[in-house]
Amino acid sequence: MKNDLMEILIRVMLQNHLDELQQSAAEDSRRVEEARLAAEKKWFEGVRPECHPSEEDINRMKATYHYNPGFIHIAVVGSAGAGKSSFINAVRGLSTNHTMAAPAGIIETTRTVTRYPDPRPNSRTIWYDVPGSGTLEVPDWKYFNDMGLYIFDCIIVVIDNRFLDSDLAILRTCEQFKNIEAFLVRSKSDQHIKNMVSQKMGFDPWDPDSDMDDTTRSLFRLTRSQEHQRFIDETHQNVQINLEKGNLPPKNVYIVCNDAMHQTVCTGKIHPTKTIDEAKLLDDVKEFTLKRLQLGCST
């Protein structure tokens, strides 16, 4: 009888212990699920979870991207089709058909992060072409972490005619890292100004078959100047509105086109009609690069 009672007590104790373990596991699972749902809720409401890579993550991504503390590593990011690859070519002074050029196209041509050393003599800059954010190939969720953007010294966010949530998410995450300098670039300015002028005049004045008399030609020059300035003003206004909506501080936007950028890099001269902020962007990136190299690039 005594042995039977002892056996019952042991079974009860074991069962109680098992119940406690199962309850604890269920509570842990519930807390994990609640945390996941809360993070996703914040993300979709525009409040992105903070990016906290481990030391192991940082070392792994630095090895993956061949990070060298003696150089400045610049990631060019943005939505698919924003003109990232063409920008990297222009800022390095390369035409699109150059053997060292990044592949560029209307659709997203970049599938993996691609490293492009700057071909200019004594350059200490390495450019990285990053797959477009917000696409099916590269989901917006955890984009910054998955791409390892936290290891770069500088991130240039390239936008086209729309300022997307994914662009804001990248800029917002950059704010968490004191070692990352972020620049905002509005690309394809020449194409958009050309469209605005053509719409205003009712035909394409750049068409070689268009026959313009002196009066129409004078109107074309005036319209081009007016739409040029209107595009600049509206771009600055729209960018600041989107930054404010995204709870981000005001930020300068550099308005550029690849033809003017390429000419400025190669000749040091500005394009007579297309230049806007190309020289300013090059000067500011150069100034950042020199300062970072003097301080040391290691993060």
Side-chain angles (χ1 to χ4, degrees), residues 21 36 112 128:
L21 289 176
R36 184 186 68 80
T112 59
Y128 291 80

Side-chain angles (χ1 to χ4, degrees), residues 85-139:
S85 301
S86 297
F87 172 82
I88 288 178
N89 292 334
V91 83
R92 294 187 301 146
L94 302 179
S95 60
T96 54
N97 58 358
H98 193 282
T99 55
M100 296 178 63
I106 298 175
I107 62 173
E108 181 68 19
T109 55
T110 305
R111 301 296 177 182
T112 59
V113 178
T114 309
R115 188 176 188 267
Y116 293 101
D118 197 305
R120 287 169 290 186
N122 303 318
S123 174
R124 306 282 291 280
T125 303
I126 301 174
W127 301 84
Y128 291 80
D129 197 351
V130 181
S133 59
T135 66
L136 292 176
E137 289 83 3
V138 186

Side-chain angles (χ1 to χ4, degrees), residues 125-180:
T125 303
I126 301 174
W127 301 84
Y128 291 80
D129 197 351
V130 181
S133 59
T135 66
L136 292 176
E137 289 83 3
V138 186
D140 199 26
W141 178 251
K142 295 196 298 184
Y143 174 83
F144 200 98
N145 255 351
D146 291 347
M147 293 293 106
L149 297 182
Y150 45 78
I151 68 106
F152 290 99
D153 304 293
C154 174
I155 292 177
I156 295 179
V157 179
V158 178
I159 60 173
D160 188 6
N161 59 337
R162 290 187 301 161
F163 202 160
L164 302 179
D165 287 343
S166 54
D167 302 321
L168 290 170
I170 293 170
L171 291 172
R172 186 181 295 108
T173 310
C174 285
E175 296 276 315
Q176 301 176 25
F177 295 86
K178 296 185 182 299
N179 61 294
I180 298 177

Side-chain angles (χ1 to χ4, degrees), residues 79 81-82 159-164 186-188 192 231 238:
S79 62
I159 60 173
D160 188 6
N161 59 337
R162 290 187 301 161
F163 202 160
L164 302 179
R186 171 65 155 94
S187 65
K188 305 179 184 180
H192 293 286
F231 176 76
N238 290 337

Side-chain angles (χ1 to χ4, degrees), residues 74 154 156 181 183 252-254 277-291:
I74 301 178
C154 174
I156 295 179
E181 185 78 13
F183 292 90
N252 184 44
V253 55
Y254 299 85
D277 292 325
E278 292 80 7
K280 173 64 173 171
L281 174 62
L282 290 171
D283 287 344
D284 288 352
V285 171
K286 181 180 180 180
E287 181 182 358
F288 158 75
T289 299
L290 292 175
K291 286 183 178 178

Side-chain angles (χ1 to χ4, degrees), residues 198-212:
S198 297
Q199 185 176 14
K200 193 75 174 285
M201 296 197 67
F203 69 97
D204 183 1
W206 283 271
D207 187 342
D209 294 330
S210 62
D211 186 15
M212 292 189 290

